[in-house]
Amino acid sequence: MSVFLALGAVAGCSQEYYDERGKADAPVLGDRGEDSPAEVFNFPDGFGNLATKCVGPGKRGYTTTKGSVSIDEDVVIIPANAVLVDDPTCRKH
């Protein structure tokens, strides 16, 4: 439960920060962080893509991109999701 609360706190902070790419990524202390590539799975248009990678010793993160759906003449944005799970294959870098 605390993982989801922490993710919610981080996600809430990221809404007001935009970098030069126009992304609302949360700022990283000292502009340094672990930036190894994620494994990305593309889904058809209208569905969020999925990315996964080890995010710490014994932890794997999964995240989706935001999606959208057209309802009548409106476009509804489906928010991105993020989940952390135990993964013994994720070792310390």
Side-chain angles (χ1 to χ4, degrees):
M1 180 89 165
S2 62
V3 171
F4 292 109
L5 293 175
L7 285 174
V10 171
C13 296
S14 68
Q15 299 304 313
E16 297 186 22
Y17 176 81
Y18 292 90
D19 64 13
E20 65 278 356
R21 297 174 298 155
K23 305 291 184 186
D25 294 335
V28 177
L29 181 63
D31 293 327
R32 299 182 66 186
E34 194 285 311
D35 63 354
S36 64
E39 186 175 7
V40 177
F41 298 91
N42 294 323
F43 282 83
D45 286 347
F47 294 90
N49 295 329
L50 173 72
T52 182
K53 69 185 261 184
C54 291
V55 294
K59 299 293 181 189
R60 176 170 292 279
Y62 291 91
T63 186
T64 62
T65 55
K66 67 182 179 185
S68 64
V69 62
S70 295
I71 299 176
D72 296 324
E73 294 181 17
D74 296 325
V75 175
V76 177
I77 302 298
I78 301 166
N81 295 292
V83 177
L84 294 179
V85 297
D86 292 333
D87 185 342
T89 65
C90 292
R91 298 190 181 122
K92 198 173 194 175
H93 301 305

